[in-house]
Amino acid sequence: MAEDFRGDDDLSHAGPRAGGLAARALDLARPKPDWLTALNPEQREAVEALDGPVLVLAGAGTGKTRVLTSRIAHILAQGRARPYEILAVTFTNKAAREMKQRIAVLIGPGAEGMSWLGTFHAIAAKILRRHAELVGLKSNFTILDADDQIRLLKQALKAENIDDKRWTARSLAYLIDNWKNRGLDPKHVPPGEAQAFANGKGGALYALYQERLKILNAADFGDLLLESLRLLRENRDVLREFQNRFKYILVDEYQDTNAAQYLWLRLLAQRSDPSALQNLCCVGDDDQSIYGWRGADVDNILRFEKDFPGARVIRLERNYRSTGHILAAASHLIARNRDRLGKTLFTDGELGERPSVAGVWDSEEEARVVGEEIEQLQRQGHSLDEVAILVRASFQMREFEERFITLGLPYKVIGGPRFYERLEIRDALAYLRCVAQSADDLAFERIVNTPKRGLGESTLQVVHEFARLRQIPLMQAARALVETEELRPKPRGALRALLADFARWTAEIEHKPHHELAEQILEESGYTDFWKQEKTAEAEGRLENLKELVRSMEEFPDLGAFLEHISLVMDVDNKDAGERVSIMTLHGAKGLEFDTVFLPGWEEGLFPHQRSLDESGRAGLEEERRLAYVGVTRARLRAKIIFASNRRIHGLWQTTMPSRFIDDLPADHVQLVENARSGSDYGGYAQSRFANMDSFGSKYETPGWKRAQQRAGEAPAKKPPTIDGEVVGRADGASGFAAGARVFHLKFGPGTVAAVDGAKLTIDFDKAGRKLVLDSFVERRD
Ligand code: ATP
Ligand code: MG
């Protein structure tokens, strides 16, 4: 993917664009810096227009991203802003990394310190951490992933006694994400929509979920933007701080911004002096808008001129990436969409190889054929880094992974289910999250009894109950409980030992390199042993993964930075390795390019994906077609489309039909590869064959928290109860028991209070004798 900025193919166009005669003469006399000579006139116009809003609206491979990179180099070289005064938004972390490297190539060390170059999420998280307390979080808040989010929502549903088979956590997550993508916090959800879920409870569940996140000191992905938007909206001084800081704002893939991102950008782009120009430069392509299902709104790009008066709109038409046949095939395909602006693209390059379309019997043969072709490319001296496999759905990856492992063909999976999502890695991360942030309940729940240490359901129930009553984190609740006899001696001992471990590990953070600490935690917690005892090949693999995890931590300055990276990073690639084939989803391939691109699984139902068709009809189909366009236009030299006649999904064989997108390709620009076994069956469209492919499971369930919150609210008001000097409840939740009071305890029955020590009560039970218990579990019996 190396980009040659010194390419001189456009020197002929490299004349000055504007200015008086003297200025032009001066301009001509001065040699143009590299980043300008490597651009065509339109690209240069976009780079040099440093004052006022600029929109570059252009097709795939026309150099939009190159314009952004060059523009940053130009801004820095001209001294218009310092690196940290430029806000540059890319779509993936990988793209951000590449952009940084390219700027460094262009202007050298002057590019260092571009600390605000990243994805929307990464930048929003950074802003949020600086001022977390203004939105009810602490600066070390945890970023939850989709799995945690679903778990939490399941708890909410359970607490509300909502049948989660009928009203699933997943559909609630979808609803909430949708609101978040539109920049709507619970207060602003339109009343009609708030009624949407579980007989009118949608809005209330959203509010509860948000409250719960604050108690956990956590934010989900959607919150990063939503909460930082709220922060900027509600705190003028903070907004001013960032508006003044960001002298230039640049956005790649603007067609895929959602409403929340759009509002956020618009706020930041406003100048405190209204007469000042908004130095916002956005680049995008309406034909590559592929995140509509996630709330992206392609209208943002179409409205740009209206939103930013005086905006300069620049179009680029020359494609520098793909050979003629590939470009023709892609252009023909996308022309089938009705809903588009329409653009012409041309290339001066060669016609090259025609994109191929091949039929295979099933996914196994598909992986085998691809493997063979890649080995052949390798033998011909092509680099594996220049080969990518782009799939529609991540489940397609496994077959390729397995084949490549068999062949010993190095590969990397970018995006999708990945290393950090494996069970053992998630467990290990949960330990680390607890050490970094003791209020991280989801992490604590995950590992409290992993490996098994005799802390069963009933014990955890007590911990949960107490945490909910007092509205405190689980770990804090557990610390209070082990001081009493609420838990049976065995689990109490086990829990106490675990808490002591955590206290020790937390104390070590300051003194030990974090990767060494991680290793120590995995050893001392018994987690490594737990897998060692299994003695299976699978367990071996897991142990290797754990080692890999510890190794990867060395790249980060501290535990916080590492965990932040994990939360945000979508692509994990193995740095130390040599050339590798890339496997990724089409969605994840945006903006990238490869010499050879394999496009497997072009079958009706899979691509276009049945769910898109069912949910969004023609709009869904057009979005799928744009995805196909993105796929084909990733290829520089070779595009290889494949469909299988049979595919196994979740264990069931399905007979499939070739994708209608294959019919959309122009016959004279593609080459059909005959395959005797599959019988290359073109035409005709299969009906719905793919049931919902997503499934969510949760290992951990806990009783609801809403009911408990209500009960906590009824507690009598006094000063906060403490245990060992640590506040274990809210100020209004003090015990209110006095010596001599008759009480009833759920487990131990009736008794008389003998002594009171904060929240701890010593009680002489009629039957069970003297016990130390917590006031929350005791009811008055006057
Ligand atoms: P996409 O829509 O896929 O994001 P893009 O418009 O951002 O594409 P780039 O990735 O910037 O396009 O450029 C595509 C390829 O063309 C890159 O390899 C880039 O280096 C090359 N390129 C762009 N402009 C020029 C130019 N003026 N001269 C030579 N090569 C160029
Ligand atoms: Mg790009």
Side-chain angles (χ1 to χ4, degrees), residues 79-390:
R80 291 285 197 111
R82 283 165 286 196
Y84 54 86
E85 290 171 332
I86 299 175
L87 170 64
V89 188
T90 60
F91 212 77
T92 59
N93 294 292
K94 186 176 162 68
R97 263 198 319 269
E98 279 176 15
M99 196 174 272
K100 256 184 214 172
Q101 285 162 3
R102 288 177 192 189
I103 298 167
V105 169
L106 288 179
I107 62 165
E112 272 163 31
M114 291 273 316
S115 44
W116 297 96
L117 191 163
T119 61
F120 274 109
H121 285 117
I123 292 169
K126 193 166 167 178
I127 291 181
L128 209 49
R129 285 207 195 276
R130 293 202 167 182
H131 299 281
E133 70 292 350
L134 293 176
V135 293
L137 292 167
K138 294 195 204 90
S139 64
N140 66 345
F141 63 84
T142 309
I143 301 172
L144 301 187
D145 61 18
D147 198 48
D148 291 331
Q149 188 192 19
I150 295 290
R151 202 134 42 92
L152 212 53
L153 288 170
K154 274 197 176 162
Q155 294 175 10
L157 291 173
K158 214 163 173 189
E160 288 288 286
N161 286 323
I162 294 169
D163 175 6
D164 66 359
K165 299 250 166 11
R166 175 143 184 246
W167 305 99
T168 63
R170 175 155 166 66
S171 52
L172 180 58
Y174 181 80
L175 195 66
I176 291 178
D177 285 344
N178 187 284
W179 284 326
K180 289 187 174 176
N181 287 338
R182 286 158 57 203
L184 298 171
D185 56 30
K187 281 196 299 257
H188 294 99
V189 173
E193 290 186 34
Q195 302 297 319
F197 187 86
N199 307 322
K201 294 206 179 117
L205 284 163
Y206 180 21
L208 279 173
Y209 171 68
Q210 290 303 100
E211 263 173 45
R212 181 72 177 145
L213 287 174
K214 296 293 176 308
I215 293 174
L216 297 179
N217 190 26
D220 66 17
F221 241 59
D223 272 346
L224 296 179
L225 252 140
L226 182 74
E227 293 292 31
S228 94
L229 181 63
R230 187 158 75 87
L231 171 79
L232 298 175
R233 275 175 170 163
E234 292 176 1
N235 300 280
R236 297 227 129 255
D237 48 334
V238 177
L239 176 62
R240 288 267 173 276
E241 173 198 330
F242 286 106
Q243 283 174 340
N244 291 336
R245 166 185 289 267
F246 298 136
K247 300 217 163 62
Y248 287 90
I249 301 181
L250 303 96
V251 187
D252 201 359
E253 310 277 0
Y254 188 62
Q255 76 279 358
D256 275 323
T257 46
N258 63 32
Q261 292 164 339
Y262 166 80
L263 293 169
W264 185 85
L265 274 177
R266 220 175 51 170
L267 265 185
L268 287 172
Q270 273 162 12
R271 317 298 318 166
S272 39
D273 166 8
S275 64
L277 288 163
Q278 297 173 307
N279 292 327
L280 173 69
C281 173
C282 297
V283 308
D285 175 8
D286 59 311
D287 285 333
Q288 294 184 69
S289 158
I290 53 176
Y291 280 94
W293 55 281
R294 234 202 236 166
D297 185 359
V298 70
D299 285 346
N300 289 341
I301 201 167
L302 309 178
R303 272 207 311 255
F304 192 87
E305 284 177 271
K306 225 184 276 158
D307 287 332
F308 302 100
R312 214 187 287 200
V313 180
I314 296 167
R315 290 172 194 274
L316 310 173
E317 294 191 329
R318 175 164 164 187
N319 175 295
Y320 289 93
R321 179 180 295 143
S322 310
T323 51
H325 281 309
I326 294 175
L327 193 61
S331 302
H332 200 274
L333 172 79
I334 196 65
R336 294 294 303 262
N337 271 5
R338 270 197 272 160
D339 207 5
R340 65 189 290 255
L341 291 175
K343 301 183 217 55
T344 41
L345 283 181
F346 70 95
T347 172
D348 288 348
E350 296 169 8
L351 272 175
E353 242 178 65
R354 287 184 162 82
S356 66
V357 176
V360 293
W361 176 249
D362 61 8
S363 57
E364 202 186 316
E365 188 183 343
E366 187 177 52
R368 201 169 56 241
V369 167
V370 170
E372 277 163 18
E373 286 205 33
I374 294 176
E375 285 187 321
Q376 199 178 345
L377 287 168
Q378 208 179 8
R379 281 195 296 274
Q380 290 165 358
H382 298 288
S383 162
L384 294 184
D385 286 338
E386 281 306 336
V387 178
I389 296 164
L390 310 182

Side-chain angles (χ1 to χ4, degrees), residues 3 9-10 38-40 43 59-66 253 288 320-321 591 593 634:
E3 205 178 277
D9 46 357
D10 277 307
L39 298 174
N40 68 32
Q43 291 175 329
T62 51
K64 297 182 296 299
T65 303
R66 180 184 270 220
E253 310 277 0
Q288 294 184 69
Y320 289 93
R321 179 180 295 143
E593 57 188 24
R634 297 310 93 199

Side-chain angles (χ1 to χ4, degrees), residues 282-509:
C282 297
V283 308
D285 175 8
D286 59 311
D287 285 333
Q288 294 184 69
S289 158
I290 53 176
Y291 280 94
W293 55 281
R294 234 202 236 166
D297 185 359
V298 70
D299 285 346
N300 289 341
I301 201 167
L302 309 178
R303 272 207 311 255
F304 192 87
E305 284 177 271
K306 225 184 276 158
D307 287 332
F308 302 100
R312 214 187 287 200
V313 180
I314 296 167
R315 290 172 194 274
L316 310 173
E317 294 191 329
R318 175 164 164 187
N319 175 295
Y320 289 93
R321 179 180 295 143
S322 310
T323 51
H325 281 309
I326 294 175
L327 193 61
S331 302
H332 200 274
L333 172 79
I334 196 65
R336 294 294 303 262
N337 271 5
R338 270 197 272 160
D339 207 5
R340 65 189 290 255
L341 291 175
K343 301 183 217 55
T344 41
L345 283 181
F346 70 95
T347 172
D348 288 348
E350 296 169 8
L351 272 175
E353 242 178 65
R354 287 184 162 82
S356 66
V357 176
V360 293
W361 176 249
D362 61 8
S363 57
E364 202 186 316
E365 188 183 343
E366 187 177 52
R368 201 169 56 241
V369 167
V370 170
E372 277 163 18
E373 286 205 33
I374 294 176
E375 285 187 321
Q376 199 178 345
L377 287 168
Q378 208 179 8
R379 281 195 296 274
Q380 290 165 358
H382 298 288
S383 162
L384 294 184
D385 286 338
E386 281 306 336
V387 178
I389 296 164
L390 310 182
V391 298
R392 173 63 185 87
S394 49
F395 77 85
Q396 293 173 261
M397 292 180 183
R398 196 194 50 89
E399 196 85 60
F400 291 102
E401 288 197 54
E402 279 182 17
R403 185 70 196 152
F404 294 171
I405 290 168
T406 312
L407 292 176
L409 202 61
Y411 72 91
K412 59 187 167 189
V413 174
I414 298 177
R418 53 204 166 263
F419 182 74
Y420 291 120
E421 278 175 3
R422 297 185 181 162
L423 172 84
E424 66 281 11
I425 301 300
R426 292 177 67 94
D427 286 343
L429 288 173
Y431 273 101
L432 298 174
R433 276 164 56 180
C434 283
V435 169
Q437 215 257 95
S438 66
D440 193 333
D441 280 6
L442 290 162
F444 185 74
E445 260 176 83
R446 186 176 179 100
I447 48 79
V448 65
N449 200 31
T450 306
K452 294 225 178 329
R453 39 176 80 91
L455 297 172
E457 268 302 306
S458 58
T459 309
L460 294 184
Q461 193 117 358
V462 178
V463 180
H464 267 287
E465 187 101 314
F466 183 58
R468 276 198 309 276
L469 288 173
R470 292 300 193 192
Q471 296 212 20
I472 53 175
L474 289 175
M475 191 141 25
Q476 201 180 334
R479 271 204 297 274
L481 279 166
V482 296
E483 296 299 317
T484 72
E485 288 166 85
E486 295 284 358
L487 302 174
R488 288 196 319 279
K490 254 192 157 159
R492 195 194 319 151
L495 192 56
R496 187 185 288 126
L498 179 66
L499 293 170
D501 283 343
F502 270 112
R504 200 175 57 252
W505 298 329
T506 308
E508 298 243 33
I509 289 184

Side-chain angles (χ1 to χ4, degrees), residues 42-58:
E42 294 77 27
Q43 291 175 329
R44 230 168 83 189
E45 185 186 346
V47 168
E48 291 187 301
L50 289 185
D51 298 310
V54 176
L55 173 70
V56 178
L57 184 56

